[in-house]
């Protein structure tokens, strides 16, 4: 680690600090590595993390060794909320964003979703309405790799619909739907597990180029129209990211 700025002991925990940050560090002990643990940037298991740590300390928890798809990040929150970031106390590890700060994430998501999203018309009084930009929810967990921005970002939205308590958009050959009951959220709230209420982002599998134009809820299904083909989005009684499917139904020219 080079020359450290400070080494502070809190019971059985040592907190090491260095001006400018620590680039790399390793530890060794006389018990074949079983006597001293290291928490720095990443750990293999959530159980490797201590119950006492600096407030706001962020670390990656590895999932499988095959890739980063199931990795996630946690941040330490002390039981005493009045403490400042960096203060060491007992607390809990809470899932959070990746290395990006909350401010950077907010700025990135606002830039992606802010200027070109559909406007919202709200009834404010009898025969009175207001038309405003909506505040779309930002990513609160994971990274662009594990919790990507919705696929309509940077493309044209061709249709807006509402289906099974989800707000939905049609974009090229994609159907994108919000979290159940949270119409302005298109991000997963956790990347540790897949939830039935998670947003849905699915494409049409077809042997021709498809540009979807309209979506019409009908008989517990969502009928999708392109210029020369029609499809049915189905998911059974409970529409989830795991149960959703899009089936080709007919090939009529649309008027």
């Amino acid at each position: 680690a080079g020359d450290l700025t400070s080494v502070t002991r809190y019971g059985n925990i040592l907190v090491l600090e260095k001006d400018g940050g620590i680039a790399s560090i390793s530890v060794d002990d006389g018990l074949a590595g079983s006597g001293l643990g290291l928490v720095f940037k990443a750990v293999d298991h959530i159980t490797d993390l201590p119950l006492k740590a600096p407030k706001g300390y962020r670390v990656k928890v590895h999932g499988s060794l095959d890739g980063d798809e199931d990795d996630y990040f946690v941040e330490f929150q002390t039981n005493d909320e009045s403490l400042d970031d960096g203060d060491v106390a007992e607390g809990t590890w809470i899932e959070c964003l990746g290395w990006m700060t909350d401010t950077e994430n907010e700025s990135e998501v606002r830039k992606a979703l802010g200027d070109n999203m559909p406007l919202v018309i709200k009834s404010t009084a009898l025969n009175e309405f207001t038309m405003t930009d909506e505040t779309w929810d930002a990513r609160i967990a994971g990274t662009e790799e594990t919790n990507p921005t919705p696929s309509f970002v940077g493309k044209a939205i061709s249709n807006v619909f509402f289906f099974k308590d989800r707000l939905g958009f049609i974009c090229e050959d994609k159907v994108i739907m919000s979290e159940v009951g949270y119409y302005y959220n298109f991000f997963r709230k956790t990347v540790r597990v897949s939830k039935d209420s998670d947003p849905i982002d699915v494409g049409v599998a077809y042997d021709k180029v498809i540009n979807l134009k309209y979506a019409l809820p009908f008989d517990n299904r969502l009928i999708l129209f392109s210029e020369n083909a029609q499809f049915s989005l189905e998911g059974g009684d409970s529409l989830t990211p795991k149960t959703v499917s899009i089936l080709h139904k007919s090939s009529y020219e649309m008027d």
Side-chain angles (χ1 to χ4, degrees), residues 53-109:
K55 181 180 179 181
Y57 192 82
R58 192 172 297 187
V59 63
K60 177 195 284 189
V61 180
H62 288 303
S64 67
L65 300 178
D66 297 332
D68 298 332
E69 294 80 6
D70 53 357
D71 294 349
Y72 61 96
F73 290 79
V74 291
E75 183 178 87
F76 192 75
Q77 296 295 326
T78 55
N79 295 332
D80 185 353
E81 297 181 358
S82 65
L83 297 178
D84 296 326
D85 284 351
D87 290 346
V88 178
E90 292 186 351
T92 307
W93 295 91
I94 305 296
E95 187 178 2
C96 67
L97 292 166
W99 300 125
M100 183 182 295
T101 66
D102 292 343
T103 301
E104 291 171 339
N105 175 70
E106 189 83 10
S107 176
E108 180 182 273
V109 172

Side-chain angles (χ1 to χ4, degrees), residues 172-204:
E172 296 182 353
D173 63 341
K174 301 284 188 178
V175 180
I176 306 98
M177 288 180 275
S178 71
E179 180 186 7
V180 173
Y182 294 88
Y183 312 131
Y184 305 123
N185 178 44
F186 288 86
F187 292 98
R188 295 170 60 186
K189 290 184 176 178
T190 173
V191 299
R192 296 186 63 185
V193 295
S194 177
K195 301 171 62 177
D196 289 349
S197 58
D198 281 345
I200 292 174
D201 197 328
V202 62
V204 175

Side-chain angles (χ1 to χ4, degrees), residues 110-230:
R110 292 288 171 263
K111 183 178 179 181
L113 302 182
D115 295 335
N116 299 309
M117 294 295 285
L119 298 175
V120 176
I121 300 175
K122 295 182 179 180
S123 175
T124 54
L126 181 63
N127 297 327
E128 291 185 7
F129 301 87
T130 60
M131 184 169 64
T132 62
D133 290 313
E134 188 52 65
T135 300
W136 303 89
D137 292 352
R139 183 191 296 113
I140 63 172
T143 65
E144 179 63 28
E145 289 72 30
T146 59
N147 195 7
T149 53
S151 59
F152 57 71
V153 171
K155 302 176 183 177
I157 294 172
S158 59
N159 198 217
V160 181
F161 63 90
F162 189 79
F163 183 60
K164 292 199 172 184
D165 206 22
R166 296 177 185 266
L167 174 66
F169 298 133
I170 296 288
C171 174
E172 296 182 353
D173 63 341
K174 301 284 188 178
V175 180
I176 306 98
M177 288 180 275
S178 71
E179 180 186 7
V180 173
Y182 294 88
Y183 312 131
Y184 305 123
N185 178 44
F186 288 86
F187 292 98
R188 295 170 60 186
K189 290 184 176 178
T190 173
V191 299
R192 296 186 63 185
V193 295
S194 177
K195 301 171 62 177
D196 289 349
S197 58
D198 281 345
I200 292 174
D201 197 328
V202 62
V204 175
Y206 195 54
D207 59 358
K208 297 181 178 64
V209 176
I210 291 295
N211 285 303
L212 299 174
K213 299 295 184 182
Y214 302 102
L216 177 66
F218 175 74
D219 192 24
N220 208 35
R221 296 171 293 169
L222 186 71
I223 308 303
L224 307 171
F225 296 85
S226 71
E227 291 183 349
N228 296 294
Q230 294 75 45

